[in-house]
Structure formats: structure tokens, C-alpha cells
Amino acid sequence: QKVFDEEKNSIGQHFSQLQENNFKAIAMIMFAQYVQGGTFGKAVKMAEDVTDLAKRCAAAARDNPDCLKPLDRIFLDTICREENLPRFTDCCAKKDPERNDCFLSLKNASRGFISPFERPNAEVACKNHSHFIYEVARRHPFLYAPTILSVAIRYDEMMKNCCGSAADPTHNLEELKEDGLRQEHTCGILKKFGERTLKALKLAQISQKFPKADFVTVNKLVMDIANMHKDCCRGDMLDCMHDREEILHYVCTNQEMLSSKIKKCCEKPLLQRSECIVNAENDDKPADLSPHIREFIKDKGICERFAQEKDKHLARFLYEYSRRHPEFSAQMLLRIGKGYEDLLTECCKTSAPDDCCSRGVGAVGLHTTYQWIQACDWLCTHSSCDNSSNYYKAQLIPVWKNFTKKMPQLTSAELIKFTKQMTTIGSKCCQLSQDKLLPCAEENLDLVLGEICRRHLTDPINAGVCHCCSSSYALRRPCMGKLEIDENYVPLSLTPGLFTFHEELCTIEEEKLQHKKMLINLIKYKPQITQEQLTSVTAAFTAMREQCCKEENREACFVKEVSLSTGTLDLS
């Protein structure tokens, strides 16, 4: 069995399955993602070296020890043999698997780490598809290789139609950035909360998408997808791609028992199917699906089953609950599952577990009112959802105030970025129907919170954020929502440069930026500031700008007005 598994996962086997062009493209992606600062020529050379080895291993040299090495070792050995890569010296000195972990820790997805992608001239774009793959991969080091390859295919199609004209290969880069964040987010969940949490999340999502599928089928998909993410997050992009191909093959050959909504997806080329299926609508619930699952509360043998096969019993509960409630977010479903687990843990200790469960079931079902309202606290009020076109403007100051008070240690740029993401989510989700509002709101919010928690890991924010990011994935959003003012935060001092404005403020873009920075600094200076005081200061800021931008000496006017304003900023 071991020999069979080694051959199945060997570099030669992967070469045979993927064929030379796809294998070489995957190799290019891996080297560009690991060695982000390296040159295109170096990435090409390393990709060619590995592809040559794979070709030999696939042809006849299966007994060669190099052909039986794990794929990640082959790729990292290739990097470590290269000269003039001092950034990786410490990693190369480590043994596997610590070496791979070291390489992964050096991946940097921060904006500005590599200069923005520039549109190449038509001649370069049309001749060199590999260069596009290289440039995209090194800017998105956490993006799964199959995703990059599918974008590269769309890029190729665009180039065929547009070569010689004003084609813009950056057309899909924003989508790529979002995909990269989602994949980094999934890897963050796996790393921080473990495989059990990731499987529970995927179980909820798959049960919602394929409500007609039986538990055994859904559970198989959960296991396969979790294993795929383990390979992908570890950086094993060849295994990652192979895993994804097998999952897509299974889904599309069994679509009749899975979903009526994925037929068009399965007709697409292989590399485009995954994205299509993920974005497909949830299938319709079976007509005979009962609205309640009383057997998980009323059955006499429930405590015995819970004791004998705890995880399987909880998984069945989550499956049955999720397939009945497509209107809930996956995160809420996990909280309901946790509530059910806590209920059984408590009730099965008593002498009358049936009575205890019957009394406690109401606590598990609080999602219909309290949890739903709580989940939308940060984003949606009824008035803003009724008038979503005004959402961004109406909610901007409250969100800034709320967010800055919870995490005043973040920089102005970070606070602007995160609050903009949140208000954008609100304006997007509040346009949806009631049954789609909660999944949209909480699942997109979860992405923002995941990014904040990854930021916290590299540069700790405060104790409250640390607790929320570490304790429970399912409870992370409500935990963040309950955070109050950070009592250990030392407010900013009122220095002359804290509220400084110049004549550039008279341009619209600069006005927006300085307004945001002014509000953030104001909250950092006076954390107890009220909503009314913030609104008042905003009105004063607008009046100052209007007045000074009319003056001949704008700079002097701003200095004078700011001096007058800061003299009264006790805001008591």
C-alpha cells in the first residue's frame, strides 16, 4: 500500500496526469510564490529543472531516488540549490517539515511588498503567457495554483482576441485578489482552529448547497475537501491540483444525486468548474424534508449515541440542520451546533436527560430572533437596509467610531481599510432579500475578521482582540461585536501635528482622506467621544474647508481655524 501511495503521489505520476504544459505552469507558480523577490528568469530555470526531472521520472527512471522524494522536498531542494537567495539561508538549514513551514512563513501578501502589476505592452503580453503567470503568482503567494491557472486561461483567450490592440490583462486581478484572501482565510482557520473546525464549516456549507444529498455523500465531500485544503495550505500545489480534480470529477459524475444547479458548471473546462460550483445557487430542498429534527432532542437513546460517537452524532445534527436552513450563515450554523453540543453535554449528566433536552431546545433555537439581529449589528439596521443607496454615508461614522474604540492600536490606514471593507459589505448585502441577507453579511464579515486576526498574529493589537481571535471560530464575530473600549489603551496626546490640514484639503480626494484621518485621530485622542460630538466635529470640519478653500491664503486660514478648534477639543 505504501509503495502504491508513493507512486500515486510521485512527481512522475503528477507529470503524467497534468501533462507537460500544466505541470510546468504549476511549477512556475510554486517558485514564484515561494521566491517572490526572484527574477522571472530564475523562476523559469527552476521550473524547467523540475519539469525535466518529472519527465524523466514519468518515462523510465522510477527507481531513481529523486523520483520518489516527496514533491515539496523536490521543490524546496531546487530553491536551496540556487545561488544568490540569502533570504532563504535559514530556512534551507532546517529539516523537513520545518523547512516547508519556514518557507511558508516568509510568504508576504502585503500590498506594496511587490510593486503593482503593470500592463505589459501588446508584444510582450501576446508572446509570453508564462510571464503573466509569474507576475500574478508572486503577488498572490497564498492563491491556489488551479485558480491562477484558470485566470491564465481566460487571459490567453483575451490575448488571442486582442493581441495588437489595447488589451488589458489586469482585467481579472481584482477577482484574483478576492480569491487569494478567501484562500488565505481558509488556511488561517485550519491553522488556528484545526481540522475539526474546518470540517464543520465545510459540512454546513456543503449541506446547504446540496440539501438532497445523503449524509454519507456529504461527509465524503467534506473529508475530501478538508484534505485538499491541507495540501493547498501546506504549499503542495501539485497535490492541491490533483485533489481538486478528483473532487470535481466526483461532483460532476454524481450531479444527479447532488444538485440540479451545477449542470452548466460541469460542462465548463476543468479549471473553470470549481469557481462556478462554489458560486452556484443552493439546490432546492427536498419536498418531503420535515421542518423539524425532533429525533435529535426526543429520541430515548440520544445520550448513548452522543457518548459512543460524539463527533458523528454532532455532524449528523449539523447536516440535518444546515440543509433545512439555507437562509442562515455557515458561522451561525456552527454556533447552533455548538449550542446543541453544550446542551447534550449538560443534559446527559442529569437523571432525566429527555426533560432537560426538551427544556433546553429553546436555547438552541434562539437563532431565529436574537442571533439574527446580533449578526447584523455591525452592518445592517432596518432603516439603512430600506435605503441601501445611502448606507455607506449613513453608517461610515458609526462604524469608524465602533471599530476605532475596539482596536485603537491599528494605524489610520488599517482602520480606513477595514471600515471601508465593512461598510462596502453592508451596502452590498442590504440590497439582498431577507433570506440571503444573513449569509452575505456574516460570511463576508468573517473574511474581514480573519484578516484582522492574521494581522494580530504578526503584530498583536490588544488583549480583547487576542481572546476573540483565539477562543472559538464560531463565536469570533459575536465576540468581536461585544468588545468595548480597550481600557488599557493610552489615548493620543493633543500635539500640534495631530489635527493639521493644508491647502491640498481643497481637492475632493484629499478631503475624503483627511476627514477619515481626522475622525480616527479624534477617537484615539478622546475614546469616550459620543456620536453627537463626532457629528458636530464633522460639520465643523466641512464648514472650515468651505471657508478656507475660498480664501486667497488657504494655508494661513487652515492654521488659524485648526488652532481655534483644538483649543476647544476637551469635548466634555
Side-chain angles (χ1 to χ4, degrees):
Q1 179 64 42
K2 184 179 179 184
V3 172
F4 173 78
D5 287 341
E6 284 179 350
E7 286 189 3
K8 180 183 175 185
N9 294 305
S10 69
I11 190 169
Q13 183 69 18
H14 279 289
F15 181 88
S16 299
Q17 288 173 335
L18 292 170
Q19 300 302 307
E20 184 168 350
N21 287 342
N22 279 341
F23 183 94
K24 190 172 182 179
I26 291 278
M28 170 71 77
I29 289 167
M30 287 191 68
F31 288 125
Q33 288 181 326
Y34 274 121
V35 190
Q36 290 172 266
T39 64
F40 173 62
K42 191 177 289 288
V44 169
K45 177 183 178 298
M46 290 190 289
E48 288 177 344
D49 288 347
V50 168
T51 303
D52 287 344
L53 171 64
K55 191 185 298 185
R56 292 197 304 274
C57 293
R62 292 182 181 178
D63 295 334
N64 184 333
D66 286 340
C67 295
L68 298 177
K69 284 184 181 178
L71 289 166
D72 58 340
R73 189 182 301 172
I74 291 173
F75 278 85
L76 296 183
D77 284 350
T78 302
I79 295 172
C80 291
R81 283 196 297 268
E82 285 294 314
E83 298 178 356
N84 301 318
L85 294 175
R87 187 164 184 259
F88 304 105
T89 302
D90 290 343
C91 291
C92 289
K94 297 180 184 293
K95 294 182 179 179
D96 293 316
E98 288 79 11
R99 181 173 65 162
N100 190 43
D101 292 338
C102 181
F103 270 90
L104 291 176
S105 72
L106 294 179
K107 287 187 176 185
N108 192 331
S110 305
R111 182 179 293 181
F113 178 68
I114 296 176
S115 60
F117 185 86
E118 293 184 5
R119 172 178 150 182
N121 64 50
E123 184 178 356
V124 171
C126 292
K127 286 183 178 178
N128 210 335
H129 139 117
S130 296
H131 194 270
F132 175 77
I133 291 177
Y134 157 79
E135 292 290 359
V136 170
R138 71 193 194 107
R139 285 170 174 80
H140 301 277
F142 295 99
L143 199 59
Y144 296 173
T147 304
I148 296 177
L149 279 186
S150 67
V151 171
I153 288 171
R154 294 202 295 270
Y155 169 81
D156 278 352
E157 291 171 354
M158 183 177 64
M159 288 297 102
K160 287 174 185 175
N161 295 328
C162 303
C163 277
S165 67
D168 184 2
T170 64
H171 177 69
N172 295 309
L173 291 185
E174 276 307 306
E175 288 182 23
L176 264 180
K177 184 180 176 184
E178 289 182 15
D179 286 340
L181 280 175
R182 287 182 183 278
Q183 290 165 7
E184 189 177 1
H185 179 77
T186 302
C187 294
I189 294 171
L190 180 62
K191 182 177 181 180
K192 185 66 184 175
F193 300 104
E195 192 174 340
R196 186 173 186 261
T197 296
L198 180 64
K199 285 179 178 177
L201 178 64
K202 294 303 169 188
L203 176 61
Q205 292 171 335
I206 295 168
S207 300
Q208 285 182 309
K209 186 168 286 290
F210 302 145
K212 293 175 185 173
D214 59 40
F215 175 73
V216 172
T217 302
V218 170
N219 197 50
K220 172 195 164 31
L221 282 171
V222 168
M223 298 300 175
D224 290 346
I225 289 171
N227 287 332
M228 178 195 76
H229 284 298
K230 283 166 63 179
D231 284 337
C232 297
C233 295
R234 195 165 53 238
D236 296 341
M237 287 304 167
L238 288 168
D239 276 353
C240 172
M241 187 164 185
H242 176 71
D243 293 344
R244 180 172 292 202
E245 285 178 0
E246 289 197 333
I247 292 167
L248 290 172
H249 176 73
Y250 178 82
V251 168
C252 288
T253 53
N254 292 280
Q255 58 180 293
E256 287 187 7
M257 71 175 183
L258 290 175
S259 174
S260 62
K261 309 285 187 178
I262 59 173
K263 187 174 187 296
K264 290 184 178 178
C265 296
C266 290
E267 292 170 353
K268 290 181 177 289
L270 183 64
L271 290 172
Q272 296 173 24
R273 287 181 198 170
S274 180
E275 181 185 2
C276 180
I277 292 171
V278 167
N279 294 324
E281 286 185 25
N282 294 338
D283 198 18
D284 303 320
K285 288 189 286 186
D288 59 348
L289 195 62
S290 62
H292 305 293
I293 47 174
R294 289 190 175 89
E295 66 270 24
F296 286 92
I297 299 294
K298 300 288 186 181
D299 279 9
K300 294 291 183 184
I302 193 169
C303 286
E304 288 79 4
R305 287 200 299 275
F306 182 61
Q308 291 170 4
E309 44 182 20
K310 177 181 175 180
D311 281 355
K312 186 175 180 181
H313 181 76
L314 294 174
R316 281 189 174 275
F317 170 84
L318 184 58
Y319 157 76
E320 294 290 358
Y321 210 103
S322 300
R323 66 200 289 245
R324 285 165 169 79
H325 292 285
E327 75 278 13
F328 294 164
S329 67
Q331 291 74 25
M332 180 184 286
L333 289 166
L334 293 192
R335 289 196 293 278
I336 293 168
K338 187 178 189 309
Y340 178 70
E341 179 181 4
D342 292 344
L343 178 68
L344 289 190
T345 301
E346 187 63 33
C347 288
C348 290
K349 294 176 184 175
T350 67
S351 58
D354 295 346
D355 292 342
C356 175
C357 285
S358 295
R359 290 195 304 272
V361 70
V364 178
L366 279 176
H367 58 270
T368 54
T369 53
Y370 174 69
Q371 282 204 44
W372 191 94
I373 295 169
Q374 187 189 50
C376 287
D377 269 354
W378 283 14
L379 294 175
C380 299
T381 62
H382 290 299
S383 58
S384 62
C385 283
D386 289 341
N387 189 9
S388 60
S389 61
N390 292 325
Y391 181 87
Y392 189 89
K393 184 177 180 181
Q395 294 297 306
L396 197 56
I397 292 177
V399 171
W400 260 325
K401 177 190 170 192
N402 189 357
F403 213 71
T404 306
K405 284 185 174 183
K406 295 175 191 290
M407 308 173 197
Q409 295 84 358
L410 293 176
T411 66
S412 293
E414 288 172 326
L415 285 163
I416 289 170
K417 179 181 82 168
F418 290 134
T419 51
K420 182 180 179 183
Q421 287 174 352
M422 292 174 68
T423 48
T424 300
I425 292 166
S427 60
K428 167 187 170 184
C429 295
C430 282
Q431 299 179 47
L432 301 177
S433 58
Q434 199 81 345
D435 62 319
K436 294 181 180 176
L437 173 58
L438 182 58
C440 175
E442 186 157 29
E443 289 176 16
N444 280 284
L445 252 180
D446 191 51
L447 291 174
V448 179
L449 298 184
E451 194 172 353
I452 290 169
C453 288
R454 292 194 299 276
R455 150 65 166 91
H456 171 77
L457 282 175
T458 58
D459 185 7
I461 299 172
N462 60 45
V465 173
C466 182
H467 170 71
C468 292
C469 288
S470 304
S471 56
S472 165
Y473 170 71
L475 298 176
R476 182 165 68 181
R477 199 274 310 143
C479 180
M480 290 282 197
K482 291 175 185 175
L483 287 180
E484 300 291 341
I485 293 172
D486 180 12
E487 299 296 341
N488 296 319
Y489 172 69
V490 179
L492 293 179
S493 302
L494 185 58
T495 58
L498 190 60
F499 301 103
T500 302
F501 304 105
H502 301 284
E503 60 180 315
E504 289 86 356
L505 187 63
C506 295
T507 65
I508 293 175
E509 285 304 314
E510 188 66 19
E511 176 206 1
K512 291 179 181 177
L513 177 62
Q514 293 304 325
H515 184 202
K516 295 170 187 175
K517 288 183 176 179
M518 182 269 292
L519 289 173
I520 288 168
N521 284 338
L522 198 53
I523 297 167
K524 288 185 175 187
Y525 163 68
K526 200 77 174 178
Q528 302 289 350
I529 191 169
T530 66
Q531 184 64 46
E532 291 73 21
Q533 288 171 328
L534 274 174
T535 303
S536 174
V537 171
T538 293
F541 172 87
T542 302
M544 174 191 70
R545 179 183 180 273
E546 289 178 357
Q547 178 182 333
C548 289
C549 289
K550 294 175 185 175
E551 298 283 337
E552 185 174 337
N553 191 338
R554 295 172 174 177
E555 197 76 18
C557 178
F558 281 124
V559 171
K560 176 185 172 184
E561 291 297 321
V562 169
S563 179
L564 289 172
S565 299
T566 52
T568 60
L569 270 179
D570 61 339
L571 297 171
S572 56

